[in-house]
Amino acid sequence: MLEMFQLPFMQQAFIACLLMAAMLSYFGVHVVTRGIVFIDLALAQISSVGVAFAVLTGGDPRLYAVLFTLAGALGLSLIQSNHRRVPQEAIIGIIYAVASAVSMLLIAKTPHGDSDVTAVLFGNILAVSPQQIIEIAIVFGLVGVVHFIFRRRFSGLMQAYAEDVTAAGNRLNPWNILFYLSLALVISEAVSAAGVLQVFAYLIVPAVCALLLFQNASLILLAAFVIGLLASLGGLYTSYAYDLPTGTAIVAGFGVLFLLSLGLSALRGRRP
């Protein structure tokens, strides 16, 4: 396995995966606990709309991706569903579907529509440049500092949603808005490097696996990061050894780890 790290682009891909495993696994625990799993896909697709619009109009794709994602996050943070039969997740799912359709319509008008769709969905983690890694590290670092300083506020917000989703969702909380905006920044940076599906896997799968295996908050966060790291290593090596698409291999690795976590959780549940 170590021989693949002799290649500079594999080193850069691993660093990018490491950054995503650290930051997205943390946000994933919040997202899964609060029951807003579609939020990642919705924001990622909104980011894709920004990229497609920029390509179509000749603008800066990174700038438009960030602006569109921040605007979408602000709107999503203000969405309230007071109807007991219509959860917030359903509304977010609708936004995801509409954003997906709009992005594909815009991509269809670009000269290389099919290849652009593939790039948006799966990305190309092997093409991440050192400059892009530095940008991701800066954004992730700043967001991480903010969440560390106000960790009690964000933890309390997560606990409030876990205990009473309706009550927590029916009040406009500035910390909730800040959570959505910071998540949007993280997702827009991650999608530009890895694509929608890979970012979704990094956000959701480690958190779900860790929540299946542990109850202690610190262990959950640590386990989520380790699972993201293992999937990254496994996917990169599989891609390198068998000449497979890297993003797809990493997502498949997450699937294997999810099945293992599900099995371990079931075996532990059968104990006296």
Side-chain angles (χ1 to χ4, degrees), residues 131-167:
Q131 180 181 357
Q132 193 172 2
I133 291 175
I134 293 173
E135 293 177 2
I136 293 172
I138 291 173
V139 172
F140 284 14
L142 292 175
V143 171
V145 168
V146 171
H147 276 254
F148 178 77
I149 293 174
F150 300 109
R151 58 190 180 277
R152 292 188 178 181
R153 293 284 188 176
F154 291 113
S155 296
L157 184 65
M158 179 173 61
Q159 184 177 358
Y161 271 82
E163 293 176 352
D164 190 350
V165 176
T166 303

Side-chain angles (χ1 to χ4, degrees), residues 10-25:
M10 292 298 289
Q11 297 172 11
Q12 292 159 194
F14 176 70
I15 294 173
C17 289
L18 188 65
L19 291 171
M20 289 191 294
M23 183 57 65
L24 291 177
S25 61

Side-chain angles (χ1 to χ4, degrees), residues 5 12 41 48 70-71 86 90 126 141-142 164 174-175 185 237 240:
F5 290 119
Q12 292 159 194
L41 288 176
S48 301
L70 288 175
V86 182
L126 297 182
L142 292 175
D164 190 350
W175 296 104
L185 282 175
Y237 178 74
Y240 171 78

Side-chain angles (χ1 to χ4, degrees), residues 41-92:
L41 288 176
L43 289 176
Q45 286 297 346
I46 292 172
S47 174
S48 301
V49 172
V51 172
F53 182 79
V55 172
L56 197 61
T57 59
D60 184 356
R62 296 293 296 277
L63 176 61
Y64 275 81
V66 172
L67 292 177
F68 271 63
T69 310
L70 288 175
L74 181 60
L76 287 169
S77 68
L78 300 176
I79 289 177
Q80 301 177 6
S81 178
N82 298 325
H83 202 296
R84 290 179 299 176
R85 298 177 63 185
V86 182
Q88 186 181 20
E89 182 76 347
I91 297 175
I92 294 174

